[in-house]
Amino acid sequence: MRGVGTATSAFRRELGALDSYAALVGILVGAGIFRVTGDAYLETGPSVVLGYVVLAPVVLATAIPYAAFLALPAATGESRGGGGDYSHIVAVFGAGRIAFLAGWLKLISYLGAAAYLALTVADYGIELCGTLGVPADPDLSPTIATACLVGFWWIQAAGVRWFARTQTIMFLALLVAIAVLVVPGVFAIEARHYQPFFAHGAGGFFASLPPLFFAYAGFEALAHHRAEVKDSARRLPRVFLGGTAAATIIFVAMAGVALGTIDGAAIRASNAPMATAAASYLPAGAAAIVALGGVLAAATSVNATLAVPPRLAMTLADEGLLPRSLGRVHGGSGTPRAALLVTLVTSSALLWSGQLGFVLHIAVLSLMMVYLLHGLALLAAPRRRPELWAAMAGTTRPGLARTAAIVSAATLTLLIATLVVTDVRTILGTDLATRFAAGRLTSIELWLAWAAIGLALHALASRGTRSAQ
């Protein structure tokens, strides 16, 4: 009978190689390059380009442990393949507070990111209208963003096949827009726009790295589709590494062109810096294509981002840590419709709350901590789960995986420390009431508050599970 399945219902393996690349590269080439570049420019100036280059090896090193886990024929502890890094952490460290906290913080990161990216779709859509000479009211941005979330919710509720088709079409069109921006833009670069290269010295450059890391954040989202990718154990590791490398090349090329064709004042004043850059050297029609590319870039990110919380929530529901209803897969579409609906409502509420800045501060710190914990799980596997490590050694190069995990863990620790030190200075220099009134609560304050909520929920869920036994 068609309808809503039980908690044991399975996903459908309908994602091919192109679909997988579109999902991974699409989620990266979104806010990362079309939006965050302008935000990071405020910290360090044109050296944003160097920031992307510096972070690239770190992200590749972080991706290798994911590839190692995903190369296993079946991810231990991943009941239906939707838990991603949470399930990998559980497989090594067990299902406890640390693993739940990683999953809980990732949930809020992706829910906030979906809202932020939907607003980016709206901003670039308004910029596109301006490029075409069509009046568009910036105050409509939240409404357009909400419509974007509803549209992608409807597509994903229809089935993973529709998610894949939509993502692939948008991604291929996005590649055309990127080519229109980059190829002629190379010939419009002026050296003066790169001076001074380090606008705020070494301190500003290092301060820009954590926000820039948000550009790369999300590369691991595809891991949550493990049970929906055809021949996932063979295909996903290649997609992870190849897709991350391709996104890095795109980042550097686009940032290099954009920052070399317009001055700092124009970047700081624009909500759509790539479209602003394109308008400075392209005819109106071509500039409109780039603005459309911004819409598509953010839209591919929204589509891929919106898919993660329902699949992670399903895994947590399977373990009794979230309501069981969130673990159901609709029998007709093969999608977690209940969890998708909760994701839509929560992201929309965050969008209209006016507190997205708070959520994004949590997101950057939380995702770095999840990536760090995931790398530590690989390093601990030989001692804590020797049978898992033996299986992993048969599908990947264990020496490379361990080296990559060490490089990733060391660099992520440094980035987290940089963020925490900056936050501590802010806390010591201003009082809490002033920061709250100005919407300037630090990442560490917000992270601690959300972590406390998560741990309280975990305690209640654990108590309820024990009572039911």
Side-chain angles (χ1 to χ4, degrees), residues 164-186:
R165 288 175 177 174
T166 304
Q167 186 77 356
T168 301
I169 292 170
M170 292 191 300
F171 174 67
L172 293 176
L174 170 61
L175 292 181
V176 174
I178 291 172
V180 171
L181 171 72
V182 171
V183 175
V186 170

Side-chain angles (χ1 to χ4, degrees), residues 103-123:
W104 172 250
L105 291 169
K106 186 166 185 176
L107 274 177
I108 189 60
S109 298
Y110 269 78
L111 291 169
Y116 175 80
L117 291 164
L119 279 174
T120 303
V121 172
D123 288 340

Side-chain angles (χ1 to χ4, degrees), residues 4-7 80 310 313-314 316-318 320 322-330 335-342:
V4 177
T6 65
R80 284 183 286 168
M314 286 177 59
L316 295 173
D318 286 348
L322 288 179
R324 291 286 183 181
S325 59
L326 296 179
R328 294 175 181 165
V329 175
H330 188 271
T335 58
R337 286 189 174 179
L340 266 171
L341 182 59
V342 172

Side-chain angles (χ1 to χ4, degrees), residues 83-345:
D85 38 27
Y86 167 79
S87 292
H88 304 161
I89 293 168
V90 169
V92 177
F93 294 122
R97 291 186 182 88
I98 293 177
F100 175 79
L101 193 58
W104 172 250
L105 291 169
K106 186 166 185 176
L107 274 177
I108 189 60
S109 298
Y110 269 78
L111 291 169
Y116 175 80
L117 291 164
L119 279 174
T120 303
V121 172
D123 288 340
Y124 267 93
I126 291 170
E127 186 76 16
L128 174 61
C129 290
T131 303
L132 297 174
V134 178
D137 186 356
D139 291 339
L140 291 175
S141 185
T143 302
I144 297 171
T146 304
C148 173
L149 290 173
V150 172
F152 283 118
W153 169 83
W154 183 82
I155 289 170
Q156 294 196 24
V160 71
R161 182 180 300 175
W162 290 102
F163 159 80
R165 288 175 177 174
T166 304
Q167 186 77 356
T168 301
I169 292 170
M170 292 191 300
F171 174 67
L172 293 176
L174 170 61
L175 292 181
V176 174
I178 291 172
V180 171
L181 171 72
V182 171
V183 175
V186 170
F187 301 98
I189 292 175
E190 298 180 30
R192 64 184 178 86
H193 291 307
Y194 287 111
Q195 299 170 355
F197 191 63
F198 294 98
H200 303 291
F205 178 72
F206 283 108
S208 74
L209 294 181
L212 270 184
F213 194 84
F214 184 71
Y216 288 103
F219 73 88
E220 86 298 341
L222 188 60
H224 293 272
H225 291 280
R226 176 188 173 93
E228 297 163 286
V229 176
K230 300 172 184 176
D231 194 12
S232 60
R234 180 183 63 84
R235 180 167 286 158
L236 282 181
R238 297 178 183 178
V239 174
F240 256 69
L241 300 180
T244 303
T248 298
I249 295 172
I250 292 173
F251 282 175
V252 173
M254 291 182 66
V257 166
L259 300 180
T261 53
I262 54 177
D263 59 30
I267 295 174
R268 288 189 291 270
S270 176
N271 285 329
M274 294 299 162
T276 301
S280 70
Y281 61 86
L282 292 175
I289 292 176
V290 175
L292 176 60
V295 174
L296 292 171
T300 55
S301 292
V302 173
N303 194 30
T305 299
L306 207 60
V308 171
R311 286 155 176 80
L312 177 55
M314 286 177 59
T315 301
L316 295 173
D318 286 348
E319 297 176 0
L321 297 173
L322 288 179
R324 291 286 183 181
S325 59
L326 296 179
R328 294 175 181 165
V329 175
H330 188 271
S333 63
T335 58
R337 286 189 174 179
L340 266 171
L341 182 59
V342 172
T343 298
L344 170 66
V345 171

Side-chain angles (χ1 to χ4, degrees), residues 411-433:
T411 310
L412 286 169
T413 299
L414 179 61
L415 288 175
I416 292 170
T418 300
L419 197 60
V420 170
V421 167
T422 301
D423 284 353
V424 169
R425 288 175 179 169
T426 301
I427 292 170
L428 294 177
T430 58
D431 61 86
L432 178 61

